[in-house]
Amino acid sequence: MCGEVMKLSGSEILIRTLIEQNVDVVFGYPGGQVINIYDTLYQHQDEIKHILTAHEQGAAHAADGYARSTGKVGVVIATSGPGATNLVTGIATAYLDSVPLVAITGNVSLPLIGRDSFQEVDITGITMPVTKHNYFVNKGEVLADTVREAFKLAMSGRPGPVLIDIPKDIQTSLYDYEPQPAVTADEKTAGDGDDISAAVELINNAKKPYIYCGGGVISGDASEEAVELAEKIDAVLGCSFMGLSAVSTDNPRFLGMQGMHGHYASSMAQHNADLIIAIGARFSDRATGNKAKYAPKAKIIHIDIDNAEIDKNISVDCGICGDVKLTLQKIIDSVDAKNNPEWIEKVSAFSAQEKEQLKLTSDMTPYNLIDVINKTVDADTVIATDVGQHQMWAAQYCKFSKPRKFVSSGGLGTMGFGLGAAIGAQIGSGKKSVLITGDGSFGMCLNELATAASYNVPVVIVIFNNGVLGMVRQWQTLFFDKHYSNTVLDRKTDFVKLAEAFGIKGYRCTEMAEFEKTMKSAFEDNGPVLIECFIDKDEMVLPMLPPGGSMDDIIVERLGD
Amino acid sequence: MDRHILSVFVRNQYGVLARISSMFRRRGFNIDTLTVGATEDPDYSRMTVTFEGDDAVKNQIIRQLGKMPDVVSISELHRGDSVSRELVLIKVRNDKDTRQDIMSVIDIFRAKVVDYGTEAMTIEITGESSKIDAFVDLVKEFGIIEICRTGIVALERGSGSIRNKQ
Ligand SMILES: Cc1ncc(C[n+]2csc(CCOP(=O)(O)OP(=O)(O)O)c2C)c(N)n1
Ligand SMILES: [Mg+2]
């Protein structure tokens, strides 16, 4: 592969190095300090497709959605100053959810750096705490290797975003370039043998095991192993928000999402378990509730690729740092096969109780809307969401049978993430995507309708319009004496006309039958479609663990008015 | 709570100090001293970090540092098998009534006068932090004008090198 050395401009080296990494799509927005990079993109348009979004934040979310749905590194390009700062929310979103991203920004020429020049910001300083690593390229000679290293870092170990800031004079000057093969992630290794033996012993002694799948089960490609372990040791499985889609929702052992808005059965199972096996998870406060009261009867095993996660949020009985897939394989090979009929029976009782709590009606309720969405989509469809109640309903009720089919901002909870991410996920996966959004969140980044229209991206946008910032309002209802401070939207926005103004088909549904029909035809459409559905503003996301509460403080029913 | 010393071998890259100190700040780790300097190899620098905390804090700091791409290796230095030093410059009031007393303290501690004037003198002292603390305490009564401490530098005893650790 390594051919002769060429003298090329920095921007040519950048694009060629991206092509080296098999990048075929980038998302971005041009500007003065990346104009040379865009000129090079123009010359390489047959090799790299550039998706022009409406806003750099949308581009970052699109690259993120692309990465989440494919497992590949997403790439986003922005100009200096405001272009770069517009990426920040997107980069932070990717950071908190461990998504591999390479963000490329232009900057002013080296002699102008540090002088508050026009459109100069210290983007490496700004993004330091929200990137895995970042680079300010002050020598063109290292540009190609910097890009290679950035890709390697983004995808190795625990994935994450990496930013490369390239001053304009480096883009235009000539440097040596020698083609190289694409970089690969660092070699994966299983955890330490002694730690694995300790885990095996804990597992062999357990009678009530619960497997807690985090996002690392998806990024570590360990879905099959997690289920296999559950089957061998007769355990039940739950997941954090980020772990959704790791395990098929149809698997009878799978209790669903755990935590603040998790399923009753998974919360109760953790509370009663004698062993928690956490895989690729970080014991976020949203997933565990009050840590002091978390799983009081259980020993805890924690397997994670990131050593710093072990004992970070919760101190565990057995911490194993290693690739989750390889580690699980070793554990599966060594543990005793088991039957825990009493435990399974007990958990089934929790599940039965949970079903009773669900009071179904035929109205336009969140549950019914999602039920229709479940029945319309297929196994390959990516479900993206924004942030709020609609997101939690999606997390509770959407059906998944393959990993990487749920794309949502868990760690940062970024309203406005959904549309860009749904577009990126569609472009990455080549399959349909459905966005479940709220009237508040959608308002934050609806400009990306322009992108969906321009590239005719087949994404079905379903707005759960409750006229309110429902999630915040729910807290106000429960904990702030119904002081609805600034959470009632009741905007005058006509979402159907809005869609039409962007060149997209828009529909409004007020009845379930209508929604069923519209959803079906929208899903068959080969372009973007927006559907607005009205739901009651007082709908709540239940169950809910009150903040500071333990798993058995769970609120399951709407409190009396 | 114990006092810990970590020696951190880092790639001498753009912004490495900012990156590492930003990680300490953002994760709420309280650092007592942080020193950084060149090493035998211009591509690498060595940082010495001291802090107080229990083992959980220490382990988190080591693991968080270990994740950083610029960090090549980390070694924990224990009291018994390492040497640690701090250098301090102290400017104290010089006045003929106390001059003799100051000079005898300097003598006892094997400190050095590096600048001398009729109003003030600057003293240099090197040693372990406990010695320096004791010295500073003693000269306080003469009137300290200003003080500058380097923070702790430390090396493991014996023939090993941090470069051979992983
Ligand atoms: C960028 C951003 N700003 C503010 C918040 C705080 N927040 C969380 S949920 C929410 C309400 C979301 O409203 P909507 O999108 O209508 O969803 P709903 O809860 O009504 O389903 C708000 C304001 C946030 N998560 N992100
Ligand atoms: Mg709403």
Side-chain angles (χ1 to χ4, degrees):
Chain A
M1 267 293 278
C2 307
E4 90 265 38
V5 180
M6 294 169 263
K7 270 257 183 273
L8 299 174
S9 70
S11 56
E12 187 73 40
I13 292 175
L14 169 70
I15 300 303
R16 290 203 188 201
T17 324
L18 293 180
I19 295 169
E20 249 177 33
Q21 310 312 317
N22 302 313
V23 172
D24 50 9
V25 187
V26 297
F27 302 85
Y29 212 93
Q33 306 307 322
V34 287
I35 196 162
N36 296 86
I37 295 174
Y38 274 79
D39 189 57
T40 311
L41 276 170
Y42 180 83
Q43 290 158 37
H44 289 274
Q45 52 189 289
D46 296 340
E47 293 151 285
I48 291 198
K49 184 171 180 182
H50 179 273
I51 305 286
L52 176 65
T53 56
H55 187 293
E56 289 89 352
Q57 182 180 346
H61 292 327
D64 176 321
Y66 174 96
R68 289 187 206 228
S69 66
T70 59
K72 296 195 274 187
V73 177
V75 182
V76 58
I77 303 178
T79 192
S80 67
T85 54
N86 275 347
L87 292 180
V88 174
T89 301
I91 294 172
T93 303
Y95 182 71
L96 280 184
D97 288 346
S98 308
V99 177
L101 209 67
V102 169
I104 294 157
T105 50
N107 209 332
V108 298
S109 291
L110 284 172
L112 294 173
I113 290 279
R115 293 160 197 269
D116 303 319
S117 307
F118 177 63
Q119 296 195 329
E120 181 200 356
V121 295
D122 172 18
I123 195 63
T124 42
I126 292 172
T127 57
M128 207 172 265
V130 292
T131 48
K132 224 178 139 175
H133 196 60
N134 61 23
Y135 301 88
F136 175 72
V137 181
N138 57 0
K139 282 194 295 272
E141 291 76 12
V142 299
L143 176 60
D145 281 344
T146 302
V147 176
R148 292 170 186 136
E149 193 176 288
F151 272 81
K152 196 173 181 67
L153 263 179
M155 63 174 112
S156 292
R158 177 184 188 164
V162 179
L163 178 134
I164 310 171
D165 193 28
I166 312 173
K168 180 157 172 147
D169 48 351
I170 292 205
Q171 298 167 31
T172 53
S173 308
L174 297 179
Y175 306 97
D176 284 350
Y177 168 75
E178 190 178 350
Q180 303 235 326
V183 297
T184 52
D186 290 343
E187 201 190 328
K188 296 175 173 170
T189 52
D192 175 77
D194 290 345
D195 293 340
I196 290 178
S197 308
V200 167
E201 193 179 325
L202 285 173
I203 295 172
N204 286 345
N205 290 330
K207 294 191 175 64
K208 303 171 181 176
Y210 176 98
I211 299 179
Y212 157 19
C213 299
V217 175
I218 299 172
S219 55
D221 185 27
S223 295
E224 275 174 33
E225 286 76 9
V227 171
E228 198 183 329
L229 177 65
E231 282 165 358
K232 185 157 183 192
I233 64 171
D234 206 8
V236 292
L237 297 132
C239 68
S240 66
F241 179 85
M242 289 310 298
L244 279 166
S245 85
V247 178
S248 165
T249 39
D250 285 338
N251 187 316
R253 294 180 184 278
F254 183 63
L255 308 175
M257 179 175 74
Q258 64 190 56
M260 181 171 274
H261 290 299
H263 286 259
Y264 177 76
S266 75
S267 291
M268 294 313 283
Q270 281 174 95
H271 198 71
N272 288 280
D274 66 358
L275 178 69
I276 305 271
I277 307 170
I279 312 170
R282 69 175 135 110
F283 296 91
S284 137
D285 49 300
R286 280 293 190 270
T288 61
N290 185 337
K291 301 238 190 304
K293 303 180 195 160
Y294 175 70
K297 303 162 198 160
K299 298 260 190 237
I300 301 178
I301 297 172
H302 186 186
I303 311 170
D304 206 286
I305 186 75
D306 179 356
N307 195 23
E309 281 308 330
I310 315 272
D311 292 330
K312 182 179 91 178
N313 287 338
I314 215 161
S315 68
V316 296
D317 301 280
C318 171
I320 309 178
C321 173
D323 177 70
V324 288
K325 187 184 184 84
L326 298 177
T327 304
L328 282 175
Q329 284 169 347
K330 291 215 160 148
I331 292 177
I332 293 165
D333 286 347
S334 332
V335 287
D336 301 338
K338 271 246 186 102
N339 280 310
N340 302 309
E342 281 172 32
W343 172 232
I344 298 296
E345 198 176 315
K346 184 162 186 164
V347 176
S348 309
F350 295 139
S351 301
Q353 255 173 293
E354 180 178 316
K355 291 218 177 69
E356 275 169 36
Q357 290 154 10
L358 195 64
K359 295 194 177 67
L360 294 181
T361 62
S362 55
D363 305 333
M364 284 209 72
T365 60
Y367 178 86
N368 287 336
L369 292 174
I370 291 175
D371 193 41
V372 167
I373 294 173
N374 282 337
K375 285 174 180 149
T376 311
V377 302
D378 55 47
D380 291 315
T381 310
V382 173
I383 307 281
T385 81
D386 263 301
V387 171
Q389 290 182 309
H390 63 276
Q391 175 192 34
M392 290 302 134
W393 288 316
Q396 292 177 327
Y397 305 134
C398 279
K399 299 263 185 210
F400 302 101
S401 53
K402 291 182 183 175
R404 301 198 173 277
K405 298 302 171 194
F406 185 61
V407 169
S408 187
S409 167
L412 197 65
T414 310
M415 287 173 71
F417 170 77
L419 184 53
I423 292 170
Q426 195 290 318
I427 290 170
S429 66
K431 309 289 180 193
K432 288 262 157 65
S433 62
V434 172
L435 169 65
I436 298 177
T437 181
D439 45 336
S441 298
F442 192 63
M444 288 214 172
C445 290
L446 55 78
N447 48 4
E448 297 306 336
L449 285 175
T451 314
S454 298
Y455 295 92
N456 199 35
V457 181
V459 45
V460 183
I461 301 157
V462 185
I463 305 178
F464 282 32
N465 190 348
N466 50 8
V468 291
L469 299 173
M471 184 54 96
V472 182
R473 180 189 161 91
Q474 172 167 344
W475 282 58
Q476 290 169 335
T477 304
L478 293 173
F479 313 118
F480 290 88
D481 294 330
K482 302 189 181 173
H483 295 165
Y484 295 126
S485 174
N486 292 279
T487 50
V488 180
L489 291 171
D490 283 337
R491 302 274 199 221
K492 306 279 183 285
T493 317
D494 182 329
F495 285 114
V496 174
K497 281 195 187 142
L498 178 93
E500 285 163 1
F502 275 98
I504 285 176
K505 290 176 198 147
Y507 303 93
R508 182 172 295 126
C509 298
T510 50
E511 277 170 30
M512 280 316 294
E514 202 182 352
F515 178 62
E516 236 176 289
K517 226 176 80 207
T518 315
M519 183 66 208
K520 208 166 171 198
S521 65
F523 191 72
E524 276 154 18
D525 203 292
N526 54 15
V529 181
L530 179 149
I531 310 172
E532 179 186 26
C533 300
F534 295 102
I535 58 170
D536 191 287
K537 63 181 186 310
D538 290 319
E539 285 284 354
M540 286 214 201
V541 185
L542 294 171
M544 176 174 194
L545 297 179
S550 80
M551 294 270 176
D552 65 344
D553 295 328
I554 191 163
I555 306 171
V556 291
E557 290 201 52
R558 195 149 134 181
L559 305 178
D561 291 29
Chain B
M1 285 216 280
D2 294 326
R3 183 86 183 269
H4 303 281
I5 305 182
L6 296 181
S7 201
V8 190
F9 201 61
V10 300
R11 294 201 291 181
N12 198 358
Q13 296 277 345
Y14 185 90
V16 60
L17 176 60
R19 206 177 288 285
I20 288 180
S21 53
S22 144
M23 186 279 284
F24 286 137
R25 177 192 52 79
R26 150 171 111 83
R27 299 217 175 252
F29 299 137
N30 274 319
I31 298 301
D32 293 331
T33 69
L34 172 66
T35 63
V36 57
T39 65
E40 66 282 5
D41 182 337
D43 289 341
Y44 299 94
S45 303
R46 184 196 281 266
M47 291 189 182
T48 310
V49 189
T50 69
F51 56 93
E52 276 177 20
D54 54 21
D55 275 0
V57 168
K58 183 190 74 186
N59 289 337
Q60 256 303 299
I61 290 184
I62 292 176
R63 286 170 178 171
Q64 292 294 349
L65 279 170
K67 259 167 74 156
M68 304 185 78
D70 285 339
V71 172
V72 181
S73 62
I74 305 163
S75 105
E76 189 187 352
L77 301 178
H78 300 281
R79 258 193 99 77
D81 47 20
S82 67
V83 284
S84 72
R85 290 290 181 271
E86 194 176 3
L87 185 144
V88 188
L89 297 174
I90 308 171
K91 195 184 286 174
V92 291
R93 242 171 260 298
N94 185 7
D95 132 5
K96 55 181 178 318
D97 302 337
T98 55
R99 188 167 303 148
Q100 264 323 307
D101 294 344
I102 299 178
M103 293 315 282
S104 54
V105 175
I106 289 174
D107 248 17
I108 295 165
F109 277 81
R110 282 196 237 140
K112 215 166 40 181
V113 176
V114 288
D115 184 50
Y116 192 89
T118 49
E119 319 239 297
M121 64 174 110
T122 300
I123 308 162
E124 174 195 313
I125 173 166
T126 313
E128 286 205 17
S129 297
S130 53
K131 169 179 163 185
I132 287 172
D133 291 342
F135 181 79
V136 171
D137 253 7
L138 279 173
V139 296
K140 233 178 223 159
E141 62 168 299
F142 309 123
I144 295 176
I145 301 169
E146 56 182 351
I147 202 164
C148 181
R149 299 177 74 138
T150 57
I152 290 167
V153 294
L155 280 183
E156 201 176 68
R157 291 181 190 274
S159 61
S161 157
I162 190 168
R163 303 196 66 171
N164 308 328
K165 310 217 161 171
Q166 73 101 27

